[in-house]
Amino acid sequence: GSCFIRTDQLDGETDWKLKVAVSCTQRLPALGDLFSINAYVYAQKPQLDIHSFEGTFTREDSDPAVHESLSIENTLWASTVVASGTVIGVVIYTGKETRSVMNTSNPKNKVGLLDLELNQLTKALFLALVALSVVMVTLQGFVGPWYRNLFRFLLLFSYIIPISLRVNLDMGKAAYGWMIMKDDNIPGTVVRTSTIPEELGRLVYLLTDKTGTLTQNEMIFKRLHLGTVSYGTDTMDEIQSHIINSYSQVHSQNSGNSTSSTPSRKPQSSAPKVRKSVSSRIHEAVKAIALCHNVTPVYESRAGVSGETEYAEVDQDFSDENRTYQASSPDEVALVQWTESVGLTLVSRDLTSMQLKTPGGHILTYYILQIFPFTSESKRMGIIVRDESSGEITFYMKGADVAMSTIVQYNDWLEEECGNMAREGLRTLVVAKKSLTEEQYQDFESRYNQAKLSIHDRNLKVAAVVESLEREMELLCLTGVEDQLQADVRPTLEMLRNAGIKIWMLTGDKLETATCIAKSSHLVSRTQDIHIFRPVTTRGEAHLELNAFRRKHDCALVISGDSLEVCLKYYEHEFVELACQCPAVVCCRCSPTQKAHIVKLLQHHTGKRTCAIGDGGNDVSMIQAADCGIGIEGKEGKQASLAADFSITQFKHIGRLLMVHGRNSYKRSAALGQFVMHRGLIISTMQAVFSSVFYFASVPLYQGFLMVGYATIYTMFPVFSLVLDQDVKPEMALLYPELYKDLTKGRSLSFKTFLIWVLISIYQGGILMYGALLLFESEFVHVVAISFTALILTELLMVALTIRTWHWLMVVAEFLSLGCYVASLAFLNEYFGIGRVSFGAFLDVAFITTVTFLWKVSAITVVSCLPLYILKYLKRKFSPPSYSKLTS
């Protein structure tokens, strides 16, 4: 066989359309016939999105030519499951212009808001360093080589720049990541980034996918409504008994014959006006649901079912637990599983027939004459089947209520019951049927085949022929299927809403389903109005609809992707401004690129932090575009979780991740960052005071190892122990999510808190240095010993003052640092002027063990720290923070 793409048939198409003729010739060994396929593939150049797939299929042999049509249904897409038959495939096009690749964006390097804020503060500190050095040189009077002195002062005061800040913060972030992954309350959580854990504490917008994220992507049949009677999960056994009775009657009446079609057929044909019994209506409804679908049963234990032994194989497999169902939609599978539970089981299906097993074990065979697949435009699917035993032809159809309400016969209950089910969060389907005579069907088939063979406007012609059948259909039932929400989705969404986080649901599902789930998950509260944005295509329509929306207050917005595109094209700023005021927004029929675009819009227009959460490959772009991306490991694989910054196993874990870990990470990083800055400022202030007193001499106060040891072994452990601090217990943070609102305001680290720490540093540095200079008596070298000892004690006490909840490791860190300092007095005697630097020198403990040394150090330390302790006590007394009110 050969396969090639022929470009010689390109005709005068316009620039934006590409017309490719695909010719495939393949000899099929089984049949020995020669097939030729001629197909046309239309594609738009920018997206190469297949617009239509049309052609004819000709069998070339001695018999008269048989024409069959090719359509988009004849193509197999990625991840397609071939449940039966064989496939001969031609790959028309793959590459970077395919939709899946074009919908994927390049990842960006994410930088946390806290890092950006600390960068701003560090710039301010650098300016302070330069200004202080210039002031010192100016006060010196620019004598001698002043520029050399300027550089000396820049080096002396360089501790103002917190060089160890980045190291401490990165170590802290690694610790937060470890704590998140070790949290037993959110098992399976993986932190895939080491740069933005504190972003979890600053989020204002949460953009979430629906299917597989808020829901489990598992459909369960919940309700069957027949107009006069409604069956729920607790009354399914009644349906089962009706089905068993009706089929047992049929088989008893037709003993010795093959199984009859339906028990209600005969009385109906003789007297059409007679009101059917509930039992016969249930029978009709269940049979319609069991036949009208695209589900194929698959038996995992067997490779396939051969034609000769089909019945034997099926008989063997009826009791087989390995039967699974394959379908394009989980809704379809849920319906077929339900019919199996009430007694009517789909046991086999191929392209031309399907077989049902009755409760009594009899096999009913139905030949599939035509099938009309579900499309997003038609919102319905249909099938025409012929009963093998009776030869009756029936057209079954099911679809959304909006599409079916005009097709079925007049009734007074359908619209009301659909609304009731939607309010319960159920996905509704209307099921109807129509009996056809042989003549009616033959007439339809000839017109239908003719329409399918037309090359131009094929879809319109086919739709017109099918619509000729869709008239005055008999309404059988209304079904309600629930896409079960994930565990604890409602309380989690409520918690996030109470925390001040605005939730946007971006889904590829249709409007009705998205609205249902938004209501059932309490994304939109029961009392809240919903504004469903009318489909708009022009600028004028968008303007009118936006004005209508502007007049409404505090209502949730539901909008489709197409309408959103139009609004953003003409009224981007106005639309985003209005949407951001909504308590909740639902965008349905969203493409992956649109999801990412919405995230970027929010970032650009609001400047707030965004978080995106999803479970499938179509959410990757959104996750990568958001400031913080969270992936759920669901049924759609690990693509989203691998691309995300944080990977969780269930949606409910996001509550603890944000309220507890986000809060702690942000608060701890803020305290740690400011303390590291304070640590550098205080020693630089002491250097400035020292230089000022001694005629602005550019002489270092502390030599060599003292400066190295100050930021490492003497103060590092207590300062780093701030990563264990927490202002409220996790239980309290989850119980009162309103506490989260304070975090989004960024008050833990701002220019105000920074200036407070600067003032504290200047006050303490001044007290420590002036105190040491005032209290020294005989030898100046004692100033170093007194001031440095007081400095270390002050730092340790300041850590204790900053800590809100003590951890045993914090106490260990405090005493370990103090022990290291006391021990170093023995080894670093030349720095402290304790002993003499000469051969055979020994530690002269005379000075540091005197009461004079101890009281001077104690006095300076108390003066530097006590006022701050008093101020903190008064502040907590008269203006306590919100969290302290809860903990008291």
Side-chain angles (χ1 to χ4, degrees):
S2 63
C3 169
F4 55 91
I5 291 179
R6 213 162 60 219
T7 55
D8 58 338
Q9 292 184 1
L10 285 172
D11 57 14
E13 291 289 320
T14 53
D15 289 343
W16 59 272
K17 251 189 185 180
L18 171 71
K19 185 173 181 181
V20 181
V22 179
S23 181
C24 171
T25 308
Q26 172 72 56
R27 181 171 290 281
L28 300 177
L31 300 173
D33 296 329
L34 192 69
F35 285 82
S36 76
I37 298 170
N38 295 303
Y40 298 102
V41 178
Y42 290 86
Q44 289 184 354
K45 269 186 183 174
Q47 287 100 9
L48 276 176
D49 179 9
I50 288 186
H51 173 59
S52 67
F53 182 95
E54 298 177 350
T56 56
F57 171 85
T58 314
R59 200 166 107 174
E60 297 172 355
D61 54 14
S62 55
D63 296 331
V66 178
H67 292 282
E68 290 186 34
S69 62
L70 284 178
S71 69
I72 205 82
E73 296 299 316
N74 296 88
T75 57
L76 296 178
W77 305 104
S79 306
T80 301
V81 176
V82 181
S84 63
T86 56
V87 176
I88 300 168
V90 182
V91 176
I92 295 174
Y93 184 80
T94 61
K96 63 185 179 184
E97 272 94 26
T98 52
R99 290 180 71 174
S100 60
V101 178
M102 292 182 73
N103 275 326
T104 308
S105 55
N106 293 323
K108 62 173 184 177
N109 289 329
K110 297 185 182 180
V111 182
L113 186 59
L114 186 103
D115 289 339
L116 297 174
E117 289 168 345
L118 284 171
N119 285 351
Q120 296 298 326
L121 299 183
T122 309
K123 289 171 189 173
L125 288 173
F126 175 74
L127 293 174
L129 164 66
V130 174
L132 185 59
S133 303
V134 170
V135 166
M136 287 306 228
V137 172
T138 307
L139 291 172
Q140 208 178 40
F142 292 103
V143 292
W146 61 269
Y147 50 85
R148 191 186 301 161
N149 289 338
L150 178 67
F151 277 101
R152 287 182 66 132
F153 278 123
L154 283 170
L155 289 172
L156 286 176
F157 300 142
S158 64
Y159 257 74
I160 288 178
I161 303 294
I163 297 169
S164 60
L165 176 62
R166 178 53 52 203
V167 178
N168 277 288
L169 273 179
D170 287 349
M171 286 170 61
K173 289 174 182 183
Y176 308 146
W178 183 82
M179 289 174 196
I180 291 170
M181 288 195 281
K182 290 294 176 186
D183 189 344
D184 293 333
N185 293 295
I186 47 173
T189 302
V190 181
V191 179
R192 301 187 190 277
T193 178
S194 58
T195 53
I196 55 167
E198 63 280 334
E199 282 293 275
L200 293 169
R202 308 291 297 278
L203 303 175
V204 178
Y205 289 97
L206 176 71
L207 299 102
T208 173
D209 180 37
K210 181 187 75 67
T211 309
T213 304
L214 296 179
T215 65
Q216 295 178 17
N217 209 2
E218 284 181 7
M219 310 297 173
I220 293 178
F221 192 95
K222 286 284 185 181
R223 187 68 57 83
L224 179 73
H225 205 294
L226 299 171
T228 53
V229 60
S230 174
Y231 293 94
T233 46
D234 50 346
T235 50
M236 291 300 176
D237 52 340
E238 289 184 33
I239 296 178
Q240 193 171 3
S241 61
H242 280 301
I243 292 295
I244 292 169
N245 291 338
S246 61
Y247 274 109
S248 61
Q249 285 172 16
V250 171
H251 291 300
S252 62
Q253 288 169 9
N254 299 282
S255 55
N257 300 333
S258 59
T259 54
S260 172
S261 169
T262 67
S264 59
R265 175 66 63 195
K266 286 178 183 175
Q268 190 194 358
S269 58
S270 58
K273 301 290 181 189
V274 174
R275 191 180 181 91
K276 291 186 189 175
S277 68
V278 171
S279 180
S280 64
R281 285 164 61 202
I282 290 172
H283 179 102
E284 282 291 341
V286 173
K287 189 173 78 167
I289 295 168
L291 289 170
C292 186
H293 53 71
N294 61 12
V295 181
T296 305
V298 179
Y299 298 98
E300 303 292 343
S301 57
R302 312 215 179 277
V305 178
S306 62
E308 293 78 31
T309 59
E310 186 176 1
Y311 284 93
E313 290 273 10
V314 169
D315 286 336
Q316 275 182 322
D317 280 335
F318 277 161
S319 57
D320 194 352
E321 296 299 318
N322 287 329
R323 184 197 296 118
T324 56
Y325 295 110
Q326 291 288 352
S328 59
S329 162
D331 299 64
E332 300 268 71
V333 175
L335 293 169
V336 174
Q337 284 174 338
W338 176 76
T339 61
E340 181 183 354
S341 71
V342 295
L344 201 57
T345 309
L346 176 71
V347 288
S348 75
R349 179 187 184 138
D350 54 33
L351 289 172
T352 57
S353 68
M354 68 173 92
Q355 292 182 320
L356 304 180
K357 186 176 75 166
T358 66
H362 297 87
I363 301 296
L364 306 176
T365 302
Y366 293 90
Y367 297 115
I368 301 170
L369 303 178
Q370 298 290 348
I371 189 159
F372 315 112
F374 179 91
T375 64
S376 54
E377 291 80 31
S378 68
K379 296 184 173 62
R380 57 190 182 270
M381 77 143 306
I383 189 168
I384 301 178
V385 294
R386 186 199 300 272
D387 188 339
E388 183 197 40
S389 56
S390 64
E392 289 171 346
I393 301 171
T394 314
F395 173 37
Y396 290 106
M397 179 161 271
K398 69 175 181 199
D401 55 305
V402 286
M404 297 292 288
S405 56
T406 55
I407 292 171
V408 297
Q409 293 168 351
Y410 173 77
N411 61 85
D412 55 2
W413 60 271
L414 183 61
E415 189 179 343
E416 184 184 349
E417 289 306 326
C418 281
N420 292 341
M421 286 195 192
R423 281 187 282 277
E424 292 177 39
L426 301 178
R427 297 155 73 110
T428 55
L429 279 175
V430 180
V431 184
K433 78 161 193 175
K434 187 176 191 178
S435 297
L436 302 175
T437 61
E438 190 67 41
E439 295 75 28
Q440 282 176 319
Y441 176 70
Q442 292 301 335
D443 172 55
F444 165 77
E445 188 181 35
S446 63
R447 287 186 293 121
Y448 186 65
N449 289 338
Q450 197 64 41
K452 282 205 295 183
L453 289 174
S454 58
I455 298 297
H456 301 291
D457 297 327
R458 177 188 294 184
N459 290 346
L460 291 172
K461 290 175 183 174
V462 168
V465 174
V466 175
E467 276 175 26
S468 68
L469 270 190
E470 298 170 348
R471 288 178 190 154
E472 289 295 301
M473 294 189 73
E474 181 188 342
L475 174 58
L476 296 178
C477 64
L478 176 65
T479 66
V481 174
E482 181 183 41
D483 183 1
Q484 283 195 309
L485 292 172
Q486 285 201 16
D488 296 332
V489 159
R490 288 169 185 162
T492 303
L493 287 173
E494 204 165 317
M495 179 198 294
L496 296 173
R497 218 172 29 237
N498 291 339
I501 296 172
K502 292 186 177 177
I503 302 161
W504 289 37
M505 186 168 86
L506 313 178
T507 175
D509 261 353
K510 56 185 179 184
L511 190 137
E512 296 86 1
T513 313
T515 312
C516 273
I517 297 297
K519 286 177 181 173
S520 61
S521 65
H522 295 181
L523 173 69
V524 178
S525 63
R526 299 274 178 185
T527 55
Q528 219 159 48
D529 286 336
I530 296 179
H531 178 80
I532 296 177
F533 211 86
R534 225 166 28 85
V536 295
T537 52
T538 63
R539 183 173 186 164
E541 289 176 355
H543 181 72
L544 289 171
E545 197 58 26
L546 277 172
N547 283 341
F549 178 44
R550 188 179 278 112
R551 287 193 288 272
K552 296 191 177 180
H553 298 288
D554 193 44
C555 73
L557 172 66
V558 179
I559 185 169
S560 69
D562 297 338
S563 303
L564 182 71
E565 203 72 38
V566 175
C567 289
L568 295 179
K569 184 178 178 182
Y570 299 112
Y571 301 104
E572 183 180 297
H573 185 75
E574 293 89 339
F575 176 78
V576 176
E577 193 178 331
L578 285 171
C580 288
Q581 293 169 6
C582 294
V585 177
V586 177
C587 297
C588 50
R589 291 286 181 222
C590 267
S591 68
T593 323
Q594 271 183 324
K595 291 182 179 183
H597 184 50
I598 292 166
V599 172
K600 289 170 186 165
L601 268 178
L602 285 175
Q603 290 169 338
H604 174 68
H605 282 277
T606 66
K608 305 289 186 187
R609 306 315 270 180
T610 57
C611 173
I613 179 168
D615 72 313
N618 59 338
D619 303 313
V620 170
S621 300
M622 168 173 79
I623 285 169
Q624 290 177 340
D627 297 301
C628 177
I630 300 175
I632 295 180
E633 290 184 19
K635 292 191 172 181
E636 294 187 37
K638 292 193 172 185
Q639 207 170 341
S641 74
L642 290 172
D645 306 305
F646 302 89
S647 171
I648 57 178
T649 54
Q650 292 183 55
F651 183 82
K652 66 177 180 180
H653 292 169
I654 197 174
R656 188 175 180 88
L657 196 63
L658 268 56
M659 300 301 126
V660 177
H661 293 289
R663 177 184 191 84
N664 288 343
S665 300
Y666 171 57
K667 288 270 188 180
R668 289 164 177 173
S669 287
L672 185 64
Q674 292 177 132
F675 209 93
V676 171
M677 289 177 181
H678 158 78
R679 189 172 65 184
L681 275 167
I682 193 170
I683 202 164
S684 298
T685 306
M686 291 173 74
Q687 176 69 54
V689 172
F690 175 76
S691 295
S692 303
V693 170
F694 292 99
Y695 309 103
F696 308 104
S698 50
V699 177
L701 170 59
Y702 301 124
Q703 300 290 330
F705 187 79
L706 288 189
M707 294 300 283
V708 176
Y710 170 67
T712 52
I713 61 168
Y714 298 152
T715 59
M716 197 196 90
F717 297 119
V719 171
F720 188 69
S721 72
L722 288 170
V723 301
L724 299 168
D725 188 25
Q726 58 181 33
D727 54 352
V728 293
K729 288 190 172 75
E731 300 76 33
M732 204 63 73
L734 291 167
L735 190 60
Y736 297 100
E738 291 78 9
L739 290 170
Y740 190 88
K741 289 179 185 176
D742 289 342
L743 305 181
T744 55
K745 293 169 184 170
R747 289 175 179 168
S748 297
L749 180 71
S750 61
F751 268 102
K752 180 184 173 183
T753 58
F754 170 67
L755 289 172
I756 290 169
W757 276 101
V758 169
L759 292 173
I760 290 171
S761 305
I762 292 170
Y763 165 76
Q764 289 185 327
I767 292 293
L768 291 172
M769 200 65 243
Y770 272 119
L773 291 171
L774 287 172
L775 296 176
F776 90 95
E777 291 161 3
S778 52
E779 295 186 65
F780 173 70
V781 286
H782 292 163
V783 170
V784 176
I786 292 169
S787 64
F788 198 79
T789 306
L791 174 64
I792 297 299
L793 289 174
T794 298
E795 283 295 306
L796 297 180
L797 286 170
M798 283 301 290
V799 171
L801 178 70
T802 308
I803 286 169
R804 288 161 292 216
T805 309
W806 282 89
H807 189 281
W808 66 270
L809 282 171
M810 295 172 173
V811 181
V812 170
E814 292 268 325
F815 284 108
L816 181 66
S817 295
L818 190 60
C820 287
Y821 177 68
V822 172
S824 68
L825 287 173
F827 303 108
L828 304 175
N829 44 36
E830 68 269 25
Y831 290 115
F832 296 111
I834 296 166
R836 295 291 157 263
V837 187
S838 58
F839 183 71
F842 62 95
L843 176 62
D844 180 10
V845 291
F847 178 63
I848 62 164
T849 53
T850 57
V851 176
T852 309
F853 173 80
L854 293 173
W855 82 257
K856 285 180 180 179
V857 169
S858 301
I860 295 168
T861 307
V862 166
V863 173
S864 73
C865 290
L866 190 61
L868 298 175
Y869 271 86
I870 293 168
L871 284 170
K872 183 180 180 181
Y873 173 77
L874 291 173
K875 187 173 186 296
R876 282 185 75 96
K877 185 84 173 167
F878 296 110
S879 177
S882 52
Y883 63 84
S884 67
K885 297 172 190 172
L886 298 173
T887 51
S888 55

